Amino acid sequence: MATIYTIHPDTPQTREIEHVRGALREGAVMLYPTDTVYAIGCDMNSKAAIERVRRIKQLSNDKPLTFLCSSLSNIAHYAAVTDSAYRIMRRLIPGPFTFLLPATKLVPKLVMNPKRKTTGIRVPDHAICQALLGALENPIISTSANPTDDVEMEIRKSDRVSKAELFDCFEKLVDVIIDDGLDLTYHVSTILDLTTDEPVLVRRGLGWESVPSWAVEAG
């Protein structure tokens, strides 16, 4: 059964953040709020935890996982950032944007797309996420917390579930649940592919209107 931590959405309590940090360092998997939707995550340096996240979401190893970084300068450790990509990201972060970028050797193979050697990175505009990133000093895996087990079919039929339903679904699957005391949000991030010279808008999500007008829309 997961341990639930109630953490203030604007001024996260240091003591609670430290408890969660300690659990993540030991390989815990958590359910936590972001500036888009609730996500399942773990310390990016914990191979066992990443494997658990994949099992929970029923993701094969060829499906890349997004992770959170604390800042644009932090991104540069994990992705090759061209001058044009830097200028675009500088305008959009922190915020609800996922950037697809060529991965560096610091990105575990379990996280990246094995064929393209790319990875998805976000810099969230969210106090709890930033507090966790600062305390952990590592990127955090972030994949949307959508119920996937057949036993949760009835929940999946609904576009919107309550926070209580979400917590009930994951309380036996994760080690830590963070409750920010707010209602759930249901809007996903905007995905922007920056692996080539011409940016590609892969998915319209929160903030997509702010994407440069010259970006080509996928599909």
Side-chain angles (χ1 to χ4, degrees):
M1 194 72 70
T3 300
I4 298 178
Y5 294 95
T6 301
I7 299 179
H8 195 281
D10 299 318
T11 55
Q13 306 94 310
T14 301
R15 182 176 179 180
E16 301 302 295
I17 292 295
E18 287 298 316
H19 284 315
V20 177
R21 178 192 64 83
L24 293 176
R25 284 273 177 85
E26 294 177 0
V29 172
M30 66 177 173
L31 177 69
Y32 67 110
T34 72
D35 52 350
T36 54
V37 296
Y38 256 76
I40 303 169
C42 65
D43 183 342
M44 193 180 77
N45 290 334
S46 175
K47 180 179 177 181
I50 293 173
E51 290 173 341
R52 281 184 59 200
V53 170
R54 286 195 175 279
R55 288 197 297 271
I56 291 170
K57 286 297 298 284
Q58 299 178 9
L59 296 173
S60 60
N61 286 342
D62 62 350
K63 298 293 184 181
L65 291 169
T66 297
F67 60 89
L68 307 183
C69 281
S70 59
S71 65
L72 180 53
S73 60
N74 192 226
I75 286 178
H77 294 292
Y78 302 96
V81 181
T82 63
D83 290 342
S84 59
Y86 177 86
R87 288 192 293 270
I88 292 171
M89 291 190 292
R90 184 176 60 182
R91 292 171 53 184
L92 298 176
I93 62 175
F97 301 94
T98 299
F99 304 103
L100 302 182
L101 294 160
T104 69
K105 293 181 179 180
L106 291 180
V107 178
K109 292 181 179 179
L110 274 174
V111 174
M112 72 173 70
N113 183 314
K115 294 181 179 179
R116 296 184 65 196
K117 304 298 183 183
T118 58
T119 191
I121 303 179
R122 290 194 56 209
V123 178
D125 185 13
H126 192 274
I128 293 176
C129 290
Q130 286 291 346
L132 288 172
L133 288 164
L136 189 62
E137 299 181 329
N138 289 323
I140 295 174
I141 295 298
S142 184
T143 179
S144 59
N146 299 320
T148 55
D149 290 338
D150 290 340
V151 295
E152 302 299 338
M153 185 65 72
E154 291 304 316
I155 291 181
R156 283 194 286 154
K157 287 179 180 178
S158 172
D159 290 334
R160 298 192 173 189
V161 301
S162 69
K163 180 177 279 189
E165 288 175 317
L166 186 69
F167 286 7
D168 286 346
C169 177
F170 286 102
E171 65 178 352
K172 295 181 180 179
L173 300 176
V174 301
D175 307 297
V176 170
I177 294 176
I178 295 178
D179 187 354
D180 60 2
L182 301 177
D183 293 334
L184 291 181
T185 56
Y186 304 92
H187 300 291
V188 296
S189 66
T190 290
I191 300 178
L192 196 59
D193 188 339
L194 300 180
T195 58
T196 62
D197 292 336
E198 190 173 58
V200 177
L201 179 60
V202 177
R203 181 178 73 189
R204 292 190 182 194
L206 279 177
W208 73 268
E209 303 92 343
S210 301
V211 171
S213 59
W214 66 85
V216 177
E217 190 158 2

